[in-house]
mmCIF file with all atom_site columns, all heavy atoms in Angstrom:
data_model
loop_
_atom_site.group_PDB
_atom_site.id
_atom_site.type_symbol
_atom_site.label_atom_id
_atom_site.label_alt_id
_atom_site.label_comp_id
_atom_site.label_asym_id
_atom_site.label_entity_id
_atom_site.label_seq_id
_atom_site.pdbx_PDB_ins_code
_atom_site.Cartn_x
_atom_site.Cartn_y
_atom_site.Cartn_z
_atom_site.occupancy
_atom_site.B_iso_or_equiv
_atom_site.pdbx_formal_charge
_atom_site.auth_seq_id
_atom_site.auth_comp_id
_atom_site.auth_asym_id
_atom_site.auth_atom_id
_atom_site.pdbx_PDB_model_num
ATOM 1   N N   . ILE A 1 88  ? -46.871 3.988  -36.821 1.00 92.00 ? 88  ILE A N   1
ATOM 2   C CA  . ILE A 1 88  ? -45.691 4.624  -37.269 1.00 92.00 ? 88  ILE A CA  1
ATOM 3   C C   . ILE A 1 88  ? -45.547 4.420  -38.781 1.00 92.00 ? 88  ILE A C   1
ATOM 4   O O   . ILE A 1 88  ? -45.245 5.484  -39.467 1.00 92.00 ? 88  ILE A O   1
ATOM 5   C CB  . ILE A 1 88  ? -44.429 4.081  -36.561 1.00 92.00 ? 88  ILE A CB  1
ATOM 6   C CG1 . ILE A 1 88  ? -44.483 4.600  -35.041 1.00 92.00 ? 88  ILE A CG1 1
ATOM 7   C CG2 . ILE A 1 88  ? -43.132 4.598  -37.311 1.00 92.00 ? 88  ILE A CG2 1
ATOM 8   C CD1 . ILE A 1 88  ? -43.323 3.969  -34.184 1.00 92.00 ? 88  ILE A CD1 1
ATOM 9   N N   . PRO A 1 89  ? -45.863 3.287  -39.395 1.00 89.00 ? 89  PRO A N   1
ATOM 10  C CA  . PRO A 1 89  ? -45.529 3.133  -40.837 1.00 89.00 ? 89  PRO A CA  1
ATOM 11  C C   . PRO A 1 89  ? -46.602 3.884  -41.751 1.00 89.00 ? 89  PRO A C   1
ATOM 12  O O   . PRO A 1 89  ? -46.406 4.025  -42.936 1.00 89.00 ? 89  PRO A O   1
ATOM 13  C CB  . PRO A 1 89  ? -45.681 1.654  -41.072 1.00 89.00 ? 89  PRO A CB  1
ATOM 14  C CG  . PRO A 1 89  ? -45.425 1.030  -39.770 1.00 89.00 ? 89  PRO A CG  1
ATOM 15  C CD  . PRO A 1 89  ? -46.045 2.025  -38.803 1.00 89.00 ? 89  PRO A CD  1
ATOM 16  N N   . LEU A 1 90  ? -47.613 4.477  -41.093 1.00 88.00 ? 90  LEU A N   1
ATOM 17  C CA  . LEU A 1 90  ? -48.522 5.324  -41.880 1.00 88.00 ? 90  LEU A CA  1
ATOM 18  C C   . LEU A 1 90  ? -47.913 6.658  -42.363 1.00 88.00 ? 90  LEU A C   1
ATOM 19  O O   . LEU A 1 90  ? -48.406 7.231  -43.327 1.00 88.00 ? 90  LEU A O   1
ATOM 20  C CB  . LEU A 1 90  ? -49.818 5.618  -40.974 1.00 88.00 ? 90  LEU A CB  1
ATOM 21  C CG  . LEU A 1 90  ? -50.623 4.493  -40.366 1.00 88.00 ? 90  LEU A CG  1
ATOM 22  C CD1 . LEU A 1 90  ? -51.781 4.927  -39.621 1.00 88.00 ? 90  LEU A CD1 1
ATOM 23  C CD2 . LEU A 1 90  ? -50.909 3.433  -41.532 1.00 88.00 ? 90  LEU A CD2 1
ATOM 24  N N   . PHE A 1 91  ? -46.742 6.935  -41.897 1.00 86.00 ? 91  PHE A N   1
ATOM 25  C CA  . PHE A 1 91  ? -46.062 8.180  -42.196 1.00 86.00 ? 91  PHE A CA  1
ATOM 26  C C   . PHE A 1 91  ? -44.818 7.972  -43.172 1.00 86.00 ? 91  PHE A C   1
ATOM 27  O O   . PHE A 1 91  ? -44.204 8.971  -43.429 1.00 86.00 ? 91  PHE A O   1
ATOM 28  C CB  . PHE A 1 91  ? -45.617 8.951  -40.978 1.00 86.00 ? 91  PHE A CB  1
ATOM 29  C CG  . PHE A 1 91  ? -46.753 9.323  -39.991 1.00 86.00 ? 91  PHE A CG  1
ATOM 30  C CD1 . PHE A 1 91  ? -47.139 8.532  -38.972 1.00 86.00 ? 91  PHE A CD1 1
ATOM 31  C CD2 . PHE A 1 91  ? -47.532 10.492 -40.281 1.00 86.00 ? 91  PHE A CD2 1
ATOM 32  C CE1 . PHE A 1 91  ? -48.182 8.825  -38.178 1.00 86.00 ? 91  PHE A CE1 1
ATOM 33  C CE2 . PHE A 1 91  ? -48.546 10.720 -39.474 1.00 86.00 ? 91  PHE A CE2 1
ATOM 34  C CZ  . PHE A 1 91  ? -48.911 9.985  -38.422 1.00 86.00 ? 91  PHE A CZ  1
ATOM 35  N N   . GLY A 1 92  ? -44.636 6.687  -43.513 1.00 81.00 ? 92  GLY A N   1
ATOM 36  C CA  . GLY A 1 92  ? -43.464 6.602  -44.516 1.00 81.00 ? 92  GLY A CA  1
ATOM 37  C C   . GLY A 1 92  ? -43.026 5.000  -44.341 1.00 81.00 ? 92  GLY A C   1
ATOM 38  O O   . GLY A 1 92  ? -43.430 4.277  -43.486 1.00 81.00 ? 92  GLY A O   1
ATOM 39  N N   . ASN A 1 93  ? -42.229 4.628  -45.407 1.00 79.00 ? 93  ASN A N   1
ATOM 40  C CA  . ASN A 1 93  ? -41.723 3.292  -45.350 1.00 79.00 ? 93  ASN A CA  1
ATOM 41  C C   . ASN A 1 93  ? -40.097 3.350  -45.604 1.00 79.00 ? 93  ASN A C   1
ATOM 42  O O   . ASN A 1 93  ? -39.584 2.430  -46.290 1.00 79.00 ? 93  ASN A O   1
ATOM 43  C CB  . ASN A 1 93  ? -42.400 2.459  -46.453 1.00 79.00 ? 93  ASN A CB  1
ATOM 44  C CG  . ASN A 1 93  ? -42.070 2.887  -47.896 1.00 79.00 ? 93  ASN A CG  1
ATOM 45  O OD1 . ASN A 1 93  ? -41.809 4.107  -48.093 1.00 79.00 ? 93  ASN A OD1 1
ATOM 46  N ND2 . ASN A 1 93  ? -42.107 2.063  -48.837 1.00 79.00 ? 93  ASN A ND2 1
ATOM 47  N N   . SER A 1 94  ? -39.425 4.357  -45.089 1.00 85.00 ? 94  SER A N   1
ATOM 48  C CA  . SER A 1 94  ? -38.028 4.311  -45.244 1.00 85.00 ? 94  SER A CA  1
ATOM 49  C C   . SER A 1 94  ? -37.497 3.292  -44.318 1.00 85.00 ? 94  SER A C   1
ATOM 50  O O   . SER A 1 94  ? -38.106 2.625  -43.470 1.00 85.00 ? 94  SER A O   1
ATOM 51  C CB  . SER A 1 94  ? -37.431 5.706  -44.708 1.00 85.00 ? 94  SER A CB  1
ATOM 52  O OG  . SER A 1 94  ? -37.657 5.831  -43.331 1.00 85.00 ? 94  SER A OG  1
ATOM 53  N N   . PHE A 1 95  ? -36.208 2.974  -44.523 1.00 87.00 ? 95  PHE A N   1
ATOM 54  C CA  . PHE A 1 95  ? -35.533 1.772  -43.769 1.00 87.00 ? 95  PHE A CA  1
ATOM 55  C C   . PHE A 1 95  ? -35.583 2.150  -42.263 1.00 87.00 ? 95  PHE A C   1
ATOM 56  O O   . PHE A 1 95  ? -35.868 1.236  -41.532 1.00 87.00 ? 95  PHE A O   1
ATOM 57  C CB  . PHE A 1 95  ? -34.103 1.710  -44.244 1.00 87.00 ? 95  PHE A CB  1
ATOM 58  C CG  . PHE A 1 95  ? -33.395 0.495  -43.822 1.00 87.00 ? 95  PHE A CG  1
ATOM 59  C CD1 . PHE A 1 95  ? -33.488 -0.684 -44.464 1.00 87.00 ? 95  PHE A CD1 1
ATOM 60  C CD2 . PHE A 1 95  ? -32.532 0.518  -42.659 1.00 87.00 ? 95  PHE A CD2 1
ATOM 61  C CE1 . PHE A 1 95  ? -32.889 -1.857 -44.082 1.00 87.00 ? 95  PHE A CE1 1
ATOM 62  C CE2 . PHE A 1 95  ? -31.887 -0.635 -42.222 1.00 87.00 ? 95  PHE A CE2 1
ATOM 63  C CZ  . PHE A 1 95  ? -32.072 -1.836 -42.953 1.00 87.00 ? 95  PHE A CZ  1
ATOM 64  N N   . ALA A 1 96  ? -35.252 3.362  -41.889 1.00 89.00 ? 96  ALA A N   1
ATOM 65  C CA  . ALA A 1 96  ? -35.302 3.787  -40.469 1.00 89.00 ? 96  ALA A CA  1
ATOM 66  C C   . ALA A 1 96  ? -36.737 3.620  -39.927 1.00 89.00 ? 96  ALA A C   1
ATOM 67  O O   . ALA A 1 96  ? -36.890 3.086  -38.760 1.00 89.00 ? 96  ALA A O   1
ATOM 68  C CB  . ALA A 1 96  ? -34.786 5.115  -40.235 1.00 89.00 ? 96  ALA A CB  1
ATOM 69  N N   . VAL A 1 97  ? -37.692 4.084  -40.565 1.00 90.00 ? 97  VAL A N   1
ATOM 70  C CA  . VAL A 1 97  ? -39.089 4.046  -40.134 1.00 90.00 ? 97  VAL A CA  1
ATOM 71  C C   . VAL A 1 97  ? -39.598 2.616  -39.847 1.00 90.00 ? 97  VAL A C   1
ATOM 72  O O   . VAL A 1 97  ? -40.064 2.249  -38.788 1.00 90.00 ? 97  VAL A O   1
ATOM 73  C CB  . VAL A 1 97  ? -39.934 4.756  -41.028 1.00 90.00 ? 97  VAL A CB  1
ATOM 74  C CG1 . VAL A 1 97  ? -41.553 4.332  -40.726 1.00 90.00 ? 97  VAL A CG1 1
ATOM 75  C CG2 . VAL A 1 97  ? -39.821 6.250  -41.038 1.00 90.00 ? 97  VAL A CG2 1
ATOM 76  N N   . MET A 1 98  ? -39.201 1.726  -40.872 1.00 88.00 ? 98  MET A N   1
ATOM 77  C CA  . MET A 1 98  ? -39.638 0.391  -40.668 1.00 88.00 ? 98  MET A CA  1
ATOM 78  C C   . MET A 1 98  ? -38.846 -0.366 -39.670 1.00 88.00 ? 98  MET A C   1
ATOM 79  O O   . MET A 1 98  ? -39.403 -1.203 -39.042 1.00 88.00 ? 98  MET A O   1
ATOM 80  C CB  . MET A 1 98  ? -39.413 -0.291 -42.176 1.00 88.00 ? 98  MET A CB  1
ATOM 81  C CG  . MET A 1 98  ? -40.224 0.219  -43.264 1.00 88.00 ? 98  MET A CG  1
ATOM 82  S SD  . MET A 1 98  ? -41.989 0.554  -42.837 1.00 88.00 ? 98  MET A SD  1
ATOM 83  C CE  . MET A 1 98  ? -42.611 -1.152 -42.708 1.00 88.00 ? 98  MET A CE  1
ATOM 84  N N   . LEU A 1 99  ? -37.618 0.022  -39.361 1.00 89.00 ? 99  LEU A N   1
ATOM 85  C CA  . LEU A 1 99  ? -36.819 -0.637 -38.304 1.00 89.00 ? 99  LEU A CA  1
ATOM 86  C C   . LEU A 1 99  ? -37.426 -0.246 -36.986 1.00 89.00 ? 99  LEU A C   1
ATOM 87  O O   . LEU A 1 99  ? -37.670 -1.161 -36.134 1.00 89.00 ? 99  LEU A O   1
ATOM 88  C CB  . LEU A 1 99  ? -35.373 -0.209 -38.303 1.00 89.00 ? 99  LEU A CB  1
ATOM 89  C CG  . LEU A 1 99  ? -34.421 -0.840 -39.265 1.00 89.00 ? 99  LEU A CG  1
ATOM 90  C CD1 . LEU A 1 99  ? -32.990 -0.141 -39.178 1.00 89.00 ? 99  LEU A CD1 1
ATOM 91  C CD2 . LEU A 1 99  ? -34.310 -2.260 -39.033 1.00 89.00 ? 99  LEU A CD2 1
ATOM 92  N N   . ILE A 1 100 ? -37.873 0.957  -36.752 1.00 91.00 ? 100 ILE A N   1
ATOM 93  C CA  . ILE A 1 100 ? -38.500 1.417  -35.560 1.00 91.00 ? 100 ILE A CA  1
ATOM 94  C C   . ILE A 1 100 ? -39.862 0.737  -35.355 1.00 91.00 ? 100 ILE A C   1
ATOM 95  O O   . ILE A 1 100 ? -40.203 0.150  -34.270 1.00 91.00 ? 100 ILE A O   1
ATOM 96  C CB  . ILE A 1 100 ? -38.653 2.891  -35.572 1.00 91.00 ? 100 ILE A CB  1
ATOM 97  C CG1 . ILE A 1 100 ? -37.255 3.532  -35.468 1.00 91.00 ? 100 ILE A CG1 1
ATOM 98  C CG2 . ILE A 1 100 ? -39.531 3.308  -34.307 1.00 91.00 ? 100 ILE A CG2 1
ATOM 99  C CD1 . ILE A 1 100 ? -37.441 5.096  -35.667 1.00 91.00 ? 100 ILE A CD1 1
ATOM 100 N N   . ALA A 1 101 ? -40.683 0.668  -36.427 1.00 91.00 ? 101 ALA A N   1
ATOM 101 C CA  . ALA A 1 101 ? -41.966 0.010  -36.455 1.00 91.00 ? 101 ALA A CA  1
ATOM 102 C C   . ALA A 1 101 ? -41.894 -1.518 -36.082 1.00 91.00 ? 101 ALA A C   1
ATOM 103 O O   . ALA A 1 101 ? -42.633 -1.900 -35.254 1.00 91.00 ? 101 ALA A O   1
ATOM 104 C CB  . ALA A 1 101 ? -42.750 0.249  -37.685 1.00 91.00 ? 101 ALA A CB  1
ATOM 105 N N   . PHE A 1 102 ? -40.972 -2.244 -36.789 1.00 89.00 ? 102 PHE A N   1
ATOM 106 C CA  . PHE A 1 102 ? -40.897 -3.622 -36.537 1.00 89.00 ? 102 PHE A CA  1
ATOM 107 C C   . PHE A 1 102 ? -40.270 -3.901 -35.128 1.00 89.00 ? 102 PHE A C   1
ATOM 108 O O   . PHE A 1 102 ? -40.577 -4.865 -34.552 1.00 89.00 ? 102 PHE A O   1
ATOM 109 C CB  . PHE A 1 102 ? -40.074 -4.229 -37.633 1.00 89.00 ? 102 PHE A CB  1
ATOM 110 C CG  . PHE A 1 102 ? -40.719 -4.374 -39.028 1.00 89.00 ? 102 PHE A CG  1
ATOM 111 C CD1 . PHE A 1 102 ? -40.125 -4.414 -40.194 1.00 89.00 ? 102 PHE A CD1 1
ATOM 112 C CD2 . PHE A 1 102 ? -42.140 -4.383 -39.084 1.00 89.00 ? 102 PHE A CD2 1
ATOM 113 C CE1 . PHE A 1 102 ? -40.750 -4.502 -41.343 1.00 89.00 ? 102 PHE A CE1 1
ATOM 114 C CE2 . PHE A 1 102 ? -42.871 -4.528 -40.246 1.00 89.00 ? 102 PHE A CE2 1
ATOM 115 C CZ  . PHE A 1 102 ? -42.104 -4.662 -41.407 1.00 89.00 ? 102 PHE A CZ  1
ATOM 116 N N   . SER A 1 103 ? -39.427 -3.030 -34.665 1.00 91.00 ? 103 SER A N   1
ATOM 117 C CA  . SER A 1 103 ? -38.858 -3.275 -33.332 1.00 91.00 ? 103 SER A CA  1
ATOM 118 C C   . SER A 1 103 ? -40.075 -3.153 -32.291 1.00 91.00 ? 103 SER A C   1
ATOM 119 O O   . SER A 1 103 ? -40.082 -4.039 -31.343 1.00 91.00 ? 103 SER A O   1
ATOM 120 C CB  . SER A 1 103 ? -37.856 -2.149 -33.033 1.00 91.00 ? 103 SER A CB  1
ATOM 121 O OG  . SER A 1 103 ? -36.646 -2.388 -33.793 1.00 91.00 ? 103 SER A OG  1
ATOM 122 N N   . LEU A 1 104 ? -40.849 -2.109 -32.370 1.00 93.00 ? 104 LEU A N   1
ATOM 123 C CA  . LEU A 1 104 ? -42.006 -1.953 -31.503 1.00 93.00 ? 104 LEU A CA  1
ATOM 124 C C   . LEU A 1 104 ? -42.979 -3.046 -31.659 1.00 93.00 ? 104 LEU A C   1
ATOM 125 O O   . LEU A 1 104 ? -43.588 -3.527 -30.651 1.00 93.00 ? 104 LEU A O   1
ATOM 126 C CB  . LEU A 1 104 ? -42.691 -0.630 -31.670 1.00 93.00 ? 104 LEU A CB  1
ATOM 127 C CG  . LEU A 1 104 ? -41.859 0.632  -31.230 1.00 93.00 ? 104 LEU A CG  1
ATOM 128 C CD1 . LEU A 1 104 ? -42.591 1.943  -31.569 1.00 93.00 ? 104 LEU A CD1 1
ATOM 129 C CD2 . LEU A 1 104 ? -41.665 0.550  -29.670 1.00 93.00 ? 104 LEU A CD2 1
ATOM 130 N N   . LEU A 1 105 ? -43.186 -3.556 -32.893 1.00 92.00 ? 105 LEU A N   1
ATOM 131 C CA  . LEU A 1 105 ? -44.096 -4.668 -33.089 1.00 92.00 ? 105 LEU A CA  1
ATOM 132 C C   . LEU A 1 105 ? -43.601 -5.958 -32.457 1.00 92.00 ? 105 LEU A C   1
ATOM 133 O O   . LEU A 1 105 ? -44.360 -6.598 -31.777 1.00 92.00 ? 105 LEU A O   1
ATOM 134 C CB  . LEU A 1 105 ? -44.261 -4.948 -34.611 1.00 92.00 ? 105 LEU A CB  1
ATOM 135 C CG  . LEU A 1 105 ? -45.224 -6.037 -35.044 1.00 92.00 ? 105 LEU A CG  1
ATOM 136 C CD1 . LEU A 1 105 ? -46.650 -5.758 -34.617 1.00 92.00 ? 105 LEU A CD1 1
ATOM 137 C CD2 . LEU A 1 105 ? -45.121 -6.264 -36.524 1.00 92.00 ? 105 LEU A CD2 1
ATOM 138 N N   . GLY A 1 106 ? -42.293 -6.152 -32.456 1.00 90.00 ? 106 GLY A N   1
ATOM 139 C CA  . GLY A 1 106 ? -41.622 -7.290 -31.813 1.00 90.00 ? 106 GLY A CA  1
ATOM 140 C C   . GLY A 1 106 ? -41.804 -7.170 -30.297 1.00 90.00 ? 106 GLY A C   1
ATOM 141 O O   . GLY A 1 106 ? -42.015 -8.045 -29.554 1.00 90.00 ? 106 GLY A O   1
ATOM 142 N N   . ILE A 1 107 ? -41.489 -5.954 -29.730 1.00 93.00 ? 107 ILE A N   1
ATOM 143 C CA  . ILE A 1 107 ? -41.616 -5.741 -28.301 1.00 93.00 ? 107 ILE A CA  1
ATOM 144 C C   . ILE A 1 107 ? -43.035 -5.992 -27.836 1.00 93.00 ? 107 ILE A C   1
ATOM 145 O O   . ILE A 1 107 ? -43.247 -6.751 -26.821 1.00 93.00 ? 107 ILE A O   1
ATOM 146 C CB  . ILE A 1 107 ? -41.105 -4.371 -27.911 1.00 93.00 ? 107 ILE A CB  1
ATOM 147 C CG1 . ILE A 1 107 ? -39.650 -4.260 -28.196 1.00 93.00 ? 107 ILE A CG1 1
ATOM 148 C CG2 . ILE A 1 107 ? -41.467 -4.018 -26.445 1.00 93.00 ? 107 ILE A CG2 1
ATOM 149 C CD1 . ILE A 1 107 ? -39.166 -2.816 -28.042 1.00 93.00 ? 107 ILE A CD1 1
#
Side-chain angles (χ1 to χ4, degrees):
I88 291 174
L90 304 183
F91 299 96
N93 66 336
S94 69
F95 193 81
V97 166
M98 300 311 291
L99 279 178
I100 294 170
F102 286 155
S103 290
L104 289 174
L105 183 62
I107 293 170

